Amino acid sequence: MSTSRTPIPFSRESLEQVLKRRFFFAPAFEIYGGVSGLYDYGPPGCALQANIMDTWRKHFILEEDMLEVDCTMLTPHEVLKTSGHVDKFADWMCRDLKTGEIFRADHLVEEVLEARLKGDKAARGVAINEGEEEDADKKKRKKKVKEIKSIKLDDEVVKEYENVLAQIDGYSGSQLGELMTKYKINNPATDGPLELPIEFNLMFETAIGPSGQLKGFLRPETAQGQFLNFSKLLDCNNEKMPFASASIGKSFRNEISPRAGLLRVREFLMAEIEHYVDPDNKSHSRFDEIKDLKLKFLPKGVQESGSNELTEKSLGEAVSSGMVDNETLGYFLARIYSFLIKIGVDPSRLRFRQHMSNEMAHYAADCWDAELHTSYGWIECVGCADRSAYDLSVHSARTNEKLVVRQPLPEPVLVEKYEVNIAKKKFGPKFRKDAGTVENWLLARTQCELEDLCKELNENNKIVFKIDSIPNSIELDTEFVKIEKVKRTEHIREFTPNVIEPSFGIGRILYSIFEHQFWARPEDKDRTVLSLPPLVAPTKVLLVPLSSNAELQPIVKKISAFLRKEQVPFKVDDSSASIGKRYARNDELGTPFGITIDFDSVKDESVTLRDRDSTKQVRGSLEDIVEAIKDIAYNNVSWTDGTSKLTPFDSQSEA
Amino acid sequence: MSTSRTPIPFSRESLEQVLKRRFFFAPAFEIYGGVSGLYDYGPPGCALQANIMDTWRKHFILEEDMLEVDCTMLTPHEVLKTSGHVDKFADWMCRDLKTGEIFRADHLVEEVLEARLKGDKAARGVAINEGEEEDADKKKRKKKVKEIKSIKLDDEVVKEYENVLAQIDGYSGSQLGELMTKYKINNPATDGPLELPIEFNLMFETAIGPSGQLKGFLRPETAQGQFLNFSKLLDCNNEKMPFASASIGKSFRNEISPRAGLLRVREFLMAEIEHYVDPDNKSHSRFDEIKDLKLKFLPKGVQESGSNELTEKSLGEAVSSGMVDNETLGYFLARIYSFLIKIGVDPSRLRFRQHMSNEMAHYAADCWDAELHTSYGWIECVGCADRSAYDLSVHSARTNEKLVVRQPLPEPVLVEKYEVNIAKKKFGPKFRKDAGTVENWLLARTQCELEDLCKELNENNKIVFKIDSIPNSIELDTEFVKIEKVKRTEHIREFTPNVIEPSFGIGRILYSIFEHQFWARPEDKDRTVLSLPPLVAPTKVLLVPLSSNAELQPIVKKISAFLRKEQVPFKVDDSSASIGKRYARNDELGTPFGITIDFDSVKDESVTLRDRDSTKQVRGSLEDIVEAIKDIAYNNVSWTDGTSKLTPFDSQSEA
């Protein structure tokens, strides 16, 4: 929203009232008291979401010829154990055994220390500037610390607190526990003691099947289903590389204490792309098309030096300077940018923040988040990570199914490599049911591992190793296995592709767009408008008969039929409210166009078209008006160009 | 599929191979061994599903101006307790304690008795006609009874077995247990004993939040979320009646032992409509438009007399004769029919079966299933029930929130009715935090209940009652409450609407369409075709350059760009396979059109268009060809009409 349009300051309360009143969304099970972190989308929210997803599908899947899949949400334990989610997808929580309250440990420490720093400033008589707080997590929760006590701290303590806060995202559970003990952090409401932080896995658990023995989870992301189908998808793509799969669907996270509306919820819509590339060649065939686009970046080095200053750079520069790891990653940053702008994000409130070294998974080559600025601070809305070969490798190792690409080499090459020879006949009697597992384990070793094993075998005449699923150590001598370096002419190159993963949190994007596009008409702060782009607006047209006079009924019916045939989503408002009231209602719903039907319409089928944002009106034949609507809504034409052939119309006051 | 097109008999095995090879769908987590009842949709299945849902949205939501909502899948225990699912949404299972196997009791009894009847026929030398088995549930499972033993039964036993089988859907758990004891039904594989049937609730359970104290389930249907939002939706509709809400989303049922591919799964896509009507007026404003449409009905009376004979009737007759309960229900049967035909269901394999009295919920006024015939028998794919006021009433009673419609009466009416007067000031001190609950309870009583309470108050000078959420009985004398019959002039009519619910199981419909549209070319049983309607086919066009000659590249690129601009989903197949092989591959994928690019295309930009079903070809300019494709795919134009302006083209053999 340009500031010229909104001299009235943004009010989150006013936006929340509109979203609730028009049922964009609402707490789920509200008549039962609600469940925190669960929201239902009402008709306008649902239509907006559907239009955004339709745009996403066209922008990514159709435009880039991606392979869409729809995988199950129920996921067995074993899959998420392999992916690392069972062990690592957790937050730290601490309980107050007396009141039963549960706190997320990092959030609690952060909030208490911040409150103490504020109290210190108060005691020192220093003004507190709320606007300073730029960090999302700080403001997006309702405060647990209700009261700021004006108590002066030692200068040294202030320094310590500030230092802790700067690193708050990096502490382990035991470190958080130490901080709580050291700084005497208790339940802020009662000052009662808290248990030390314990790990809480964020996945919803359930049992699959009647025996209760197959433990499962609701997926925390859509990615794993895509990875598991890799070989089938490669086959669908006629074995051609690079290619991408994509998936749109719900995922689940059992947040410890969700707040902040759509920004932190327990069930949410995601759209994820897994783009598979050759690890030796991460160039992108369409990089040239976007290389001159300039984006605002916040690279890791800047953050690590304690600054938030943005760098504006073209993607060409960003990649060639090495700031963005590779062309494919850069290409997706550009595509994410153009998608977000298309659906209504304010470009001045969008930045790309790079993950710092201690934030990123050990296997990731690079990771950037598209962050949107809201009244809660900067919010991570899209992640774009180069996950290297991690996911395919771990699932392959666990299942002994190859998840690789095989490509004919342009010319055969002579390679020296270690090879394993197994005396299969002897394996059966020795290992019985485990024979296959041991064989597969040996065959799955990397060249480095084989080099070590070869050495061990030469030195000791045996190798000794351990396989997770077999209790005892395994010992093999040269009767059972030979490992040798051999020379071979190879015609095929086999490799595990790397994965570049753009991952969209749709609810967060939706909410940010609400904030970016909400404003109040300068003449009246209660006349609020949601300037959703026509492309994604829930309804394109409000049909308004000037009066409820029966004479207008047939033409309303005729125009409705025409709009339906032309597939322009519309609503009729033939209520007895004034024209102005009816338009105001639909300004709140983000409906970009109004068609007014009056007594002249009965005579010559001409109608008036109203623009939501400017309230300008033009007059013309129904056909011309609908053509203008379609051009503006679907073909990216401006109001001025789209209505250039129509007659300006002096509107009566809307007050 | 017309029989003239398929002299080669349908082969389920051949269809399954194609669906697997082309990755329409596949067992989820297949590289981990799979989990029964869970399937992933690959690219063509996912696109087909998306196109079907897009058609559904246009056919129902847009055409009928319904209010779409998107509610959460996670649902707290209390909601599903009220709806009846916690107590009644269950099957009976029995366990073999020795082997750990678990059987669904009704399926097991049915299968064992059927096997014994077959054995009896064998012993009597009577031929068994597999084709006789018409009932879906009989064939859709892989058999547990592997072997038919040729043993003659007493004539009386045969009668008894047949009698039991006729009523198999109606037995309670204890009755199934009695049958198992009486007929000595054991584990068919080992003949080991089984435990008596115990109830197994089919909902997946989980815990919401970190305390583990809020029990929740994955929703078994999308309906409850719609009911709970009733008041908000009525408000969105400007308080106008009748209206409908609709929802598309995943639901979950923890089937005891799912088999039969997509027909019985644990996670599935549903599309449900809740249409709210005035219980005193279930007419429909558009009934006239469909009243002459004839459908094939299987009414309850016919079934109860032991017959499966279909009656063909117009909907006008069906409703006026009382066979279908009301116009709104009839209107939806017609809309369901036209939707199913549009997306590829064979009308000769579609019937509407009415629920028998013992099948229907006690509150339901009428219920019809759209059943599709497949190689597994007749499959319930769409349910269409008049659920009366049940759902809104139970949620309202439980939450004390009114879920009603209030309409101004055309003329005021004088009514006599019981009214409660509460001495609010005295409630606070007496009940403290429960004051509101007690007040709401009193205000929510029906007229009948108030009549009883009034009598009690008059006779005893007090009333005594119990509210679920309050431990002790509540006693109120006339100091606290007055209940009197009063005369009032009313201007408003208040009522709980009835709900008519069309409910679609998308996976089952999808699978039935595969069976209805799968055939083999008469000249070669391995050249199979999926004749999906162009409207829903995953890809509309296969682009085939005649050779991989570099000369053709620029025109392929140009045509690709044009198709993308025209938003026609297409794929390029520039592999080195022969034209015939490439077309055969896409016949299996259900792609309706092929565009062949040859050396003439380079000269004059003309191309050849191929029809999947007839393999006929026509030639014309790219623009004309794309116009024909769009007309046929989206505007319901036939091949003959759509290509009338194009030049017939003698195709080279496709062999």
Side-chain angles (χ1 to χ4, degrees):
Chain A
M1 198 46 25
S2 67
T3 38
S4 68
R5 201 162 70 188
T6 164
I8 295 173
F10 171 77
S11 152
R12 195 201 292 165
E13 200 194 335
S14 164
L15 170 62
E16 278 172 358
Q17 278 170 8
V18 167
L19 295 177
K20 192 182 169 170
R21 185 163 62 233
R22 298 298 166 212
F23 196 13
F24 275 89
F25 61 92
F29 318 108
E30 200 170 22
I31 66 171
Y32 278 82
V35 175
S36 50
L38 295 181
Y39 291 87
D40 290 343
Y41 286 75
C46 195
L48 175 61
Q49 181 181 264
N51 293 341
I52 286 179
M53 294 330 295
D54 185 54
T55 305
W56 195 89
R57 228 180 219 118
K58 285 179 183 143
H59 187 88
F60 290 104
I61 298 182
L62 288 185
E63 177 69 26
E64 313 271 356
D65 219 0
M66 294 173 176
L67 301 175
E68 188 177 354
V69 292
D70 182 11
C71 304
T72 63
M73 298 169 201
L74 288 166
T75 309
H77 174 271
E78 218 184 335
V79 170
L80 292 161
K81 176 77 185 169
T82 307
S83 68
H85 287 88
V86 169
D87 297 322
K88 289 181 197 152
F89 195 68
D91 281 337
W92 296 96
M93 68 172 184
C94 40
R95 284 183 297 201
D96 181 327
L97 287 183
K98 207 167 163 191
T99 67
E101 275 172 285
I102 293 175
F103 299 91
R104 192 172 138 178
D106 54 343
H107 287 181
L108 181 69
V109 169
E110 188 180 21
E111 220 182 292
V112 169
L113 297 192
E114 275 173 0
R116 290 185 190 167
L117 285 176
K118 274 192 196 159
D120 171 74
K121 282 193 176 175
R124 290 172 192 246
V126 180
I128 299 166
N129 178 4
E130 281 285 342
E132 270 175 18
E133 289 191 41
E134 275 292 282
D135 184 53
D137 269 324
K138 285 181 195 159
K139 283 177 89 182
K140 88 181 142 213
R141 306 183 300 277
K142 282 182 198 155
K143 292 279 187 272
K144 283 171 207 96
V145 183
K146 305 290 179 199
E147 192 193 351
I148 305 293
K149 284 181 195 153
S150 170
I151 298 173
K152 188 171 178 302
L153 305 169
D154 287 345
D155 289 359
E156 237 164 77
V157 173
V158 170
K159 276 246 168 79
E160 265 186 61
Y161 282 7
E162 283 171 347
N163 190 29
V164 168
L165 288 173
Q167 301 174 54
I168 193 71
D169 289 336
Y171 290 113
S172 69
S174 61
Q175 287 173 322
L176 288 167
E178 283 163 25
L179 291 171
M180 289 171 63
T181 311
K182 184 171 176 192
Y183 298 128
K184 299 198 176 56
I185 294 177
N186 292 330
N187 183 337
T190 64
D191 205 39
L194 297 171
E195 279 193 313
L196 285 178
I198 53 173
E199 213 163 25
F200 176 69
N201 192 293
L202 298 177
M203 292 193 293
F204 287 97
E205 191 179 321
T206 192
I208 303 172
S211 72
Q213 282 159 358
L214 183 58
K215 196 161 131 176
F217 298 98
L218 295 176
R219 66 178 176 200
E221 57 175 30
T222 70
Q224 301 307 320
Q226 299 183 59
F227 297 139
L228 298 187
N229 284 307
F230 171 76
S231 296
K232 291 194 187 90
L233 291 167
L234 181 62
D235 182 51
C236 283
N237 208 46
N238 290 334
E239 313 292 326
K240 276 193 199 165
M241 283 285 289
F243 77 98
S245 62
S247 191
I248 299 170
K250 295 273 166 78
S251 294
F252 302 81
R253 295 185 188 183
N254 197 4
E255 297 285 350
I256 291 175
S257 58
R259 288 190 185 84
L262 293 189
L263 297 183
R264 191 173 291 278
V265 296
R266 286 173 168 156
E267 180 177 330
F268 50 94
L269 188 65
M270 289 185 98
E272 287 189 303
I273 295 164
E274 310 298 335
H275 181 90
Y276 304 97
V277 289
D278 184 336
D280 296 342
N281 177 10
K282 295 186 180 177
S283 67
H284 195 286
S285 63
R286 297 177 72 175
F287 186 75
D288 263 4
E289 295 174 26
I290 55 89
K291 71 175 194 306
D292 296 326
L293 177 69
K294 285 189 174 178
L295 300 181
K296 273 172 278 182
F297 296 99
L298 178 54
K300 57 185 171 189
V302 174
Q303 299 167 67
E304 281 157 358
S305 76
S307 161
N308 273 330
E309 206 178 320
L310 300 181
T311 319
E312 196 159 356
K313 252 189 206 180
S314 75
L315 279 158
E317 281 175 276
V319 171
S320 64
S321 68
M323 183 180 82
V324 169
D325 186 74
N326 57 71
E327 279 191 5
T328 300
L329 198 57
Y331 180 75
F332 276 113
L333 296 185
R335 297 289 297 161
I336 291 167
Y337 175 88
S338 54
F339 170 72
L340 291 175
I341 302 310
K342 202 186 269 184
I343 61 170
V345 162
D346 177 351
S348 72
R349 299 172 75 181
L350 163 57
R351 73 179 185 190
F352 287 88
R353 188 181 73 79
Q354 190 172 29
H355 279 207
M356 292 178 284
S357 315
N358 64 354
E359 251 182 296
M360 214 157 46
H362 66 275
Y363 49 80
D366 195 4
C367 182
W368 291 84
D369 288 341
E371 293 189 332
L372 301 182
H373 189 261
T374 71
S375 64
Y376 294 97
W378 286 99
I379 306 294
E380 173 201 338
C381 289
V382 187
C384 191
D386 181 333
R387 301 175 58 85
S388 76
Y390 176 75
D391 308 276
L392 294 180
S393 303
V394 292
H395 287 300
S396 179
R398 177 67 193 79
T399 61
N400 290 320
E401 293 278 344
K402 277 194 172 179
L403 300 174
V404 295
V405 173
R406 291 166 50 86
Q407 284 179 340
L409 287 165
E411 287 176 36
V413 287
L414 189 72
V415 290
E416 259 195 321
K417 56 188 235 178
Y418 289 93
E419 281 190 5
V420 189
N421 270 297
I422 292 167
K424 287 203 179 190
K425 283 192 183 155
K426 296 184 179 164
F427 265 54
K430 183 173 169 80
F431 296 110
R432 301 184 182 197
K433 67 171 176 44
D434 292 330
T437 309
V438 179
E439 276 180 42
N440 284 329
W441 187 90
L442 284 167
L443 295 174
R445 291 314 91 200
T446 62
Q447 283 296 306
C448 290
E449 289 167 332
L450 287 179
E451 187 176 349
D452 291 345
L453 288 171
C454 177
K455 218 166 132 191
E456 185 181 345
L457 195 61
N458 288 342
E459 283 169 8
N460 311 339
N461 269 319
K462 65 177 184 183
I463 52 175
V464 183
F465 54 92
K466 184 81 193 58
I467 297 177
D468 274 355
S469 58
I470 299 173
N472 299 321
S473 284
I474 292 152
E475 212 177 290
L476 292 174
D477 62 23
T478 48
E479 293 272 301
F480 286 89
V481 65
K482 289 198 171 58
I483 302 174
E484 289 166 328
K485 199 170 198 175
V486 291
K487 279 187 187 175
R488 284 211 188 282
T489 308
E490 295 206 329
H491 301 264
I492 295 283
R493 173 178 165 233
E494 193 177 278
F495 64 91
T496 303
N498 281 13
V499 171
I500 302 213
E501 177 187 82
S503 167
F504 296 70
I506 303 302
R508 290 179 162 203
I509 296 174
L510 219 71
Y511 178 78
S512 304
I513 292 173
F514 288 142
E515 282 211 6
H516 291 192
Q517 299 300 341
F518 183 72
W519 55 292
R521 298 215 184 269
E523 62 273 21
D524 179 357
K525 76 168 176 34
D526 291 331
R527 292 203 56 186
T528 52
V529 186
L530 255 184
S531 287
L532 299 171
L535 180 67
V536 296
T539 297
K540 308 306 176 205
V541 175
L542 177 74
L543 211 58
V544 193
L546 195 64
S547 88
S548 55
N549 193 308
E551 210 184 314
L552 294 182
Q553 302 291 317
I555 186 80
V556 171
K557 228 172 170 174
K558 193 165 174 187
I559 292 175
S560 298
F562 185 71
L563 288 170
R564 200 175 285 124
K565 185 180 143 270
E566 294 287 312
Q567 304 212 0
V568 176
F570 71 100
K571 295 269 174 203
V572 180
D573 188 346
D574 53 7
S575 69
S576 57
S578 73
I579 286 271
K581 276 230 178 77
R582 284 185 273 169
Y583 276 134
R585 201 142 69 189
N586 274 270
D587 289 346
E588 287 187 353
L589 279 163
T591 308
F593 305 108
I595 290 182
T596 318
I597 298 169
D598 53 28
F599 293 96
D600 285 340
S601 311
V602 183
K603 289 181 214 151
D604 60 4
E605 296 203 357
S606 70
V607 291
T608 306
L609 178 68
R610 172 190 182 265
D611 175 40
R612 172 196 60 204
D613 295 351
S614 64
T615 73
K616 277 185 192 158
Q617 302 202 19
V618 292
R619 184 100 188 172
S621 73
L622 178 62
E623 286 73 16
D624 287 349
I625 296 272
V626 168
E627 203 191 318
I629 290 172
K630 285 178 133 183
D631 272 348
I632 300 170
Y634 301 117
N635 299 329
N636 205 20
V637 171
S638 69
W639 168 266
T640 312
D641 291 347
T643 61
S644 59
K645 285 185 295 186
L646 298 161
T647 318
F649 186 78
D650 257 347
S651 62
Q652 54 277 63
S653 157
E654 289 194 8
Chain B
M1 198 46 23
S2 68
T3 38
S4 69
R5 199 160 70 185
T6 165
I8 295 173
F10 171 78
S11 152
R12 194 201 293 166
E13 200 194 335
S14 163
L15 170 62
E16 279 172 356
Q17 279 171 7
V18 168
L19 295 177
K20 193 181 166 167
R21 186 163 61 231
R22 297 297 165 214
F23 196 12
F24 276 90
F25 61 92
F29 318 108
E30 200 169 23
I31 66 170
Y32 278 82
V35 175
S36 49
L38 295 181
Y39 291 88
D40 290 343
Y41 286 75
C46 195
L48 175 62
Q49 181 180 266
N51 293 340
I52 286 179
M53 293 330 296
D54 184 54
T55 306
W56 194 90
R57 227 179 220 119
K58 286 180 181 143
H59 187 89
F60 290 103
I61 298 183
L62 287 185
E63 177 69 28
E64 314 272 356
D65 219 0
M66 294 172 176
L67 301 175
E68 188 175 356
V69 291
D70 182 10
C71 303
T72 62
M73 300 170 199
L74 287 166
T75 308
H77 174 271
E78 217 183 333
V79 170
L80 292 161
K81 176 77 186 171
T82 307
S83 69
H85 286 88
V86 169
D87 297 323
K88 289 180 196 150
F89 194 69
D91 281 337
W92 296 96
M93 69 171 182
C94 40
R95 283 183 297 200
D96 182 327
L97 288 183
K98 209 166 161 194
T99 67
E101 276 172 285
I102 294 175
F103 299 90
R104 191 170 140 178
D106 55 343
H107 287 181
L108 180 70
V109 170
E110 188 181 23
E111 220 182 292
V112 169
L113 296 191
E114 274 174 0
R116 289 184 190 167
L117 286 174
K118 273 192 196 160
D120 170 74
K121 281 192 176 175
R124 289 171 193 247
V126 181
I128 300 166
N129 180 1
E130 281 284 342
E132 270 177 16
E133 289 191 41
E134 276 291 283
D135 184 55
D137 270 324
K138 284 180 195 160
K139 285 175 90 181
K140 90 180 137 213
R141 303 183 302 277
K142 279 181 201 158
K143 292 280 187 271
K144 284 173 208 92
V145 184
K146 305 290 179 198
E147 192 193 354
I148 304 293
K149 285 183 195 150
S150 169
I151 296 175
K152 189 172 176 300
L153 305 168
D154 287 346
D155 288 358
E156 238 165 75
V157 173
V158 170
K159 276 248 169 75
E160 269 186 58
Y161 282 8
E162 284 171 347
N163 191 28
V164 168
L165 287 173
Q167 302 172 54
I168 193 70
D169 288 338
Y171 290 113
S172 69
S174 60
Q175 286 171 323
L176 287 168
E178 283 164 25
L179 292 170
M180 288 172 63
T181 311
K182 185 170 176 193
Y183 299 127
K184 299 196 176 58
I185 294 176
N186 292 330
N187 183 337
T190 63
D191 205 39
L194 297 171
E195 277 193 314
L196 285 178
I198 53 174
E199 214 163 25
F200 175 68
N201 192 292
L202 298 178
M203 292 193 294
F204 288 96
E205 191 179 320
T206 192
I208 303 173
S211 73
Q213 280 159 359
L214 182 58
K215 196 161 130 177
F217 298 99
L218 294 176
R219 68 178 175 200
E221 56 177 29
T222 70
Q224 301 306 322
Q226 298 184 58
F227 298 139
L228 298 188
N229 284 308
F230 172 75
S231 297
K232 291 193 188 91
L233 292 167
L234 181 62
D235 181 51
C236 284
N237 208 45
N238 290 335
E239 311 294 326
K240 277 193 198 166
M241 283 283 291
F243 77 98
S245 62
S247 192
I248 299 169
K250 294 274 166 78
S251 294
F252 302 82
R253 296 185 188 183
N254 198 4
E255 297 284 350
I256 292 175
S257 58
R259 287 189 187 84
L262 292 189
L263 297 182
R264 192 172 291 277
V265 295
R266 286 173 166 156
E267 178 177 331
F268 50 94
L269 188 64
M270 290 186 97
E272 288 190 303
I273 294 164
E274 311 297 335
H275 181 90
Y276 304 97
V277 290
D278 184 337
D280 295 343
N281 177 11
K282 295 186 180 176
S283 66
H284 195 286
S285 62
R286 298 177 72 175
F287 187 74
D288 263 5
E289 295 174 26
I290 56 88
K291 70 175 195 307
D292 296 326
L293 177 70
K294 286 188 174 178
L295 301 181
K296 272 173 278 183
F297 295 101
L298 178 55
K300 58 186 170 190
V302 173
Q303 297 167 68
E304 281 158 358
S305 77
S307 162
N308 274 332
E309 207 178 320
L310 300 181
T311 319
E312 196 159 355
K313 254 190 204 178
S314 74
L315 279 158
E317 281 177 275
V319 172
S320 64
S321 68
M323 183 179 82
V324 169
D325 186 75
N326 58 68
E327 277 190 7
T328 300
L329 198 57
Y331 179 75
F332 276 112
L333 296 186
R335 297 288 298 161
I336 291 166
Y337 176 88
S338 54
F339 169 71
L340 291 174
I341 302 310
K342 203 185 268 184
I343 60 169
V345 162
D346 177 351
S348 72
R349 301 173 75 181
L350 163 57
R351 73 180 185 189
F352 288 89
R353 188 181 74 78
Q354 190 173 29
H355 278 206
M356 291 179 285
S357 317
N358 63 355
E359 250 180 296
M360 212 155 50
H362 66 274
Y363 49 79
D366 195 4
C367 183
W368 291 84
D369 287 341
E371 294 189 332
L372 302 181
H373 189 261
T374 71
S375 64
Y376 294 97
W378 285 98
I379 306 295
E380 174 202 338
C381 289
V382 187
C384 191
D386 182 334
R387 300 177 59 85
S388 75
Y390 176 76
D391 308 277
L392 294 180
S393 304
V394 293
H395 287 300
S396 179
R398 177 68 193 79
T399 60
N400 289 321
E401 292 279 345
K402 279 194 171 182
L403 300 173
V404 295
V405 174
R406 292 166 52 85
Q407 283 179 341
L409 287 165
E411 289 174 36
V413 288
L414 189 72
V415 290
E416 260 195 321
K417 58 187 232 179
Y418 288 93
E419 281 190 4
V420 190
N421 271 297
I422 293 168
K424 286 204 180 189
K425 285 191 183 155
K426 296 184 179 163
F427 266 54
K430 185 173 166 81
F431 295 111
R432 301 183 184 201
K433 70 172 174 45
D434 292 330
T437 310
V438 178
E439 277 181 41
N440 283 331
W441 187 89
L442 284 167
L443 295 175
R445 292 313 93 199
T446 63
Q447 284 296 306
C448 290
E449 289 167 332
L450 286 179
E451 187 174 352
D452 292 346
L453 288 172
C454 177
K455 218 166 132 191
E456 186 180 343
L457 196 62
N458 289 342
E459 283 169 10
N460 309 342
N461 269 320
K462 65 175 186 184
I463 52 175
V464 183
F465 54 91
K466 184 80 195 59
I467 297 177
D468 274 356
S469 58
I470 299 174
N472 298 320
S473 286
I474 292 153
E475 214 178 287
L476 292 173
D477 61 24
T478 47
E479 294 271 301
F480 287 87
V481 67
K482 290 199 168 59
I483 303 173
E484 289 166 330
K485 197 170 199 174
V486 292
K487 277 188 187 171
R488 286 215 186 278
T489 308
E490 295 208 330
H491 301 265
I492 295 283
R493 172 178 166 234
E494 192 177 278
F495 64 90
T496 303
N498 281 12
V499 172
I500 300 203
E501 178 188 80
S503 168
F504 297 70
I506 303 302
R508 290 180 164 203
I509 296 174
L510 219 71
Y511 179 77
S512 303
I513 293 172
F514 287 142
E515 281 212 6
H516 290 194
Q517 298 300 342
F518 183 72
W519 56 291
R521 301 217 182 267
E523 62 274 21
D524 179 356
K525 76 169 177 34
D526 292 330
R527 293 206 51 188
T528 54
V529 186
L530 255 184
S531 287
L532 300 171
L535 180 66
V536 295
T539 297
K540 308 306 176 204
V541 175
L542 177 74
L543 210 59
V544 194
L546 195 66
S547 88
S548 54
N549 192 308
E551 210 185 314
L552 294 183
Q553 304 289 317
I555 185 81
V556 171
K557 227 172 169 176
K558 190 164 179 189
I559 292 176
S560 298
F562 185 71
L563 288 170
R564 200 175 286 125
K565 185 180 143 270
E566 294 288 312
Q567 303 211 359
V568 176
F570 70 99
K571 295 269 174 203
V572 179
D573 187 347
D574 54 6
S575 69
S576 58
S578 73
I579 285 272
K581 275 231 177 78
R582 284 185 273 171
Y583 275 134
R585 201 143 70 187
N586 274 269
D587 289 345
E588 288 187 353
L589 279 164
T591 307
F593 305 107
I595 290 183
T596 319
I597 298 168
D598 53 28
F599 293 96
D600 285 340
S601 312
V602 182
K603 288 179 215 152
D604 60 3
E605 294 202 358
S606 69
V607 291
T608 305
L609 178 69
R610 172 192 182 262
D611 175 41
R612 171 196 61 203
D613 295 352
S614 65
T615 72
K616 277 186 192 155
Q617 302 201 17
V618 292
R619 184 99 189 173
S621 74
L622 178 61
E623 285 73 16
D624 289 347
I625 295 271
V626 168
E627 201 191 320
I629 289 171
K630 285 178 133 182
D631 274 347
I632 300 170
Y634 300 118
N635 301 329
N636 205 19
V637 170
S638 69
W639 168 266
T640 312
D641 291 348
T643 61
S644 59
K645 286 185 293 184
L646 298 161
T647 317
F649 186 79
D650 257 347
S651 62
Q652 53 278 64
S653 158
E654 290 194 9

